[in-house]
Every structure is written in structure tokens, then in C-alpha cells.
Amino acid sequence: MANAASGMAVDDECKLKFLELKAKRNYRFIVFKIENQRVTVEKLGNPEESYDDFAASLPSDKCRYAVYDFDFTTDENVQKSKIFFIAWAPDTSRVRDKMVYASSKDRFKRELDGIQVELQATDPSEMSIDIVKSRAI
């Protein structure tokens, strides 16, 4: 159990599931939430699930952290993938929640070794598939 600088604990399951996503590709995405001063796994996305499935799994009025394993093809026709860390803080979420998620983000992200791209989004347009594609290349 790791402790974030903000006093936030990180469940070991968070790191374990992230390692499975990174090494074994067991999941397309993972959504994390903070509950009772702990970061926990809220949802695991199957490898077949799409980016739309991932985006739909984020609540419209609550903050979350998420990682997404994005597959793409380069201009040279090479298959690649990048792991995105998404800090989701919708405008409609409570101010206190936004503050808690913002203050814990960097410490939590350090627990997940292998993040390649970070996105911060306050509404779905800020994490559209086009933005993800442009950040991956």
C-alpha cells in the first residue's frame, strides 16, 4: 500500500492491474476512483472494448483517473500502442473532488510506471479520439 503525499493511499490492486494492462494487455482501460482516502480500481475494460466504451465509462459529474492502452498505426504502417493517463475532472463535479484529485494526481501517476502520455479533460471534447491520436504520434 503506497501513500500519496496528499495522504492518499493507493490500493496494491491499482498497480497490479496496471502491470497486467501494460505487460499482458489483459485490459483496454482501467478507471480509478478515490474513495475514503484511497485510490481504488473502479472498472476494467476488456481488450475488445472501444475508445467510445472507455469514454462512456467515465461519470459525467465525478472526477476519475484512467489509463487507456491506445493502439495505432504510424505513417510508416507500423503497429504501435501508447498508454495514456487521463485525469478526468468534469466541470460539473464538486470543487472539493477536483481539488483532491488534482493534489493526488502526480503521486498516483508515479505509482504507474510506463505511462507515456498524459491528458487532462474537463469535458469529453478534450479527450476525443482525434486528440488521443494526435498526442500518440
Side-chain angles (χ1 to χ4, degrees), residues 31 47 60 72-73 91 97 99 116 118 124:
V31 178
S60 62
F72 63 99
T73 306
D91 291 330
D97 286 347
M99 289 170 55
Q116 293 159 303
E118 180 181 337

Side-chain angles (χ1 to χ4, degrees), residues 28-29 43 48-58 68 70 124 127-130:
R28 174 64 54 198
F29 62 85
K43 181 174 183 1
E48 315 77 58
E49 291 193 66
S50 70
Y51 188 78
D52 289 339
D53 295 328
F54 162 65
S57 72
L58 295 172
Y68 184 81
F70 179 66
M127 52 174 268
S128 70
I129 191 68
D130 293 334

Side-chain angles (χ1 to χ4, degrees), residues 3-4 37 46 64 68 71 74 78 81 90 99 115 136:
N3 282 310
Q37 297 291 308
N46 295 323
R64 293 292 185 266
Y68 184 81
D71 292 325
T74 66
V78 177
S81 93
M99 289 170 55
I115 299 288

Side-chain angles (χ1 to χ4, degrees), residues 92-133:
T92 53
S93 59
R94 292 177 37 218
V95 172
R96 173 153 171 56
D97 286 347
K98 289 184 209 178
M99 289 170 55
V100 167
Y101 275 79
S103 66
S104 305
K105 179 184 63 114
D106 288 337
R107 179 69 179 90
F108 175 60
K109 201 173 86 175
R110 277 197 299 275
E111 297 287 329
L112 308 178
D113 185 36
I115 299 288
Q116 293 159 303
V117 183
E118 180 181 337
L119 276 181
Q120 297 200 30
T122 59
D123 73 71
S125 69
E126 293 177 356
M127 52 174 268
S128 70
I129 191 68
D130 293 334
I131 290 173
V132 170
K133 283 178 186 168

